[in-house]
């Protein structure tokens, strides 16, 4: 079911506020999918999803390889028959204020502060599509 990523219904938004791990799908240089578990946050007001990660991760290298316009990605979470997918263009940010904001959002959703990481970067996904069943 198609959903406006900037204006989801209450059930969809509630599902994204529950504590669930997600998968992030990026594309390798040969076009094959690379799917990894991540903890993500969803900000419909800004039209973005955020993932904090290490700058040396494969997902970061895949996104950077796509160039400055960003890489097409999919972020998905599932819980029984409920599922939600967010799609969009991912870019990597190293700005400390943006990363700190993303860490605060992570802490709120997952009720724990992530371990310090001097190599942390932000994967910010500008959302273009949402779908799911909540």
């Amino acid at each position: 079911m198609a959903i406006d990523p900037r204006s989801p219904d209450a059930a969809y938004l509630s599902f994204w506020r529950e504590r669930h791990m997600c998968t992030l799908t990026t594309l390798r240089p040969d076009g094959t999918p690379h799917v990894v578990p991540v903890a993500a946050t969803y900000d419909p007001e800004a039209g973005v999803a955020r993932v904090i990660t290490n700058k040396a991760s494969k997902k970061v290298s895949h996104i950077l390889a796509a160039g400055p316009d960003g890489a097409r990605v999919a972020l998905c979470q599932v819980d029984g028959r409920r599922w939600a997918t967010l799609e969009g263009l991912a870019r990597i940010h190293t700005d400390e204020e943006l990363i700190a904001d993303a860490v605060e959002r992570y802490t709120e959703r997952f009720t724990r502060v992530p371990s310090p990481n001097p190599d942390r970067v932000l994967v910010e996904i500008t959302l273009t599509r949402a779908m799911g069943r909540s």
Side-chain angles (χ1 to χ4, degrees), residues 57-72:
S57 71
K58 287 292 187 185
K59 61 187 156 289
V60 169
S61 66
H62 297 156
I63 294 166
L64 291 173
D69 291 337
R72 293 215 167 270

Side-chain angles (χ1 to χ4, degrees), residues 10-82:
Y12 192 82
L13 185 55
S14 177
F15 185 42
W16 275 102
R17 293 203 166 128
E18 294 171 13
R19 190 175 194 267
H20 297 287
M21 293 300 293
C22 301
T23 59
L24 176 66
T25 303
T26 59
L27 297 177
R28 295 181 182 99
D30 68 1
T32 59
H34 176 255
V35 183
V36 294
V38 296
T41 61
Y42 172 35
D43 181 356
E45 293 82 19
V48 301
R50 297 174 181 90
V51 174
I52 54 176
T53 190
N54 192 294
K55 68 181 179 183
S57 71
K58 287 292 187 185
K59 61 187 156 289
V60 169
S61 66
H62 297 156
I63 294 166
L64 291 173
D69 291 337
R72 293 215 167 270
V73 300
L75 185 65
C76 184
Q77 68 179 19
V78 63
D79 180 41
R81 295 180 58 88
R82 297 184 306 158

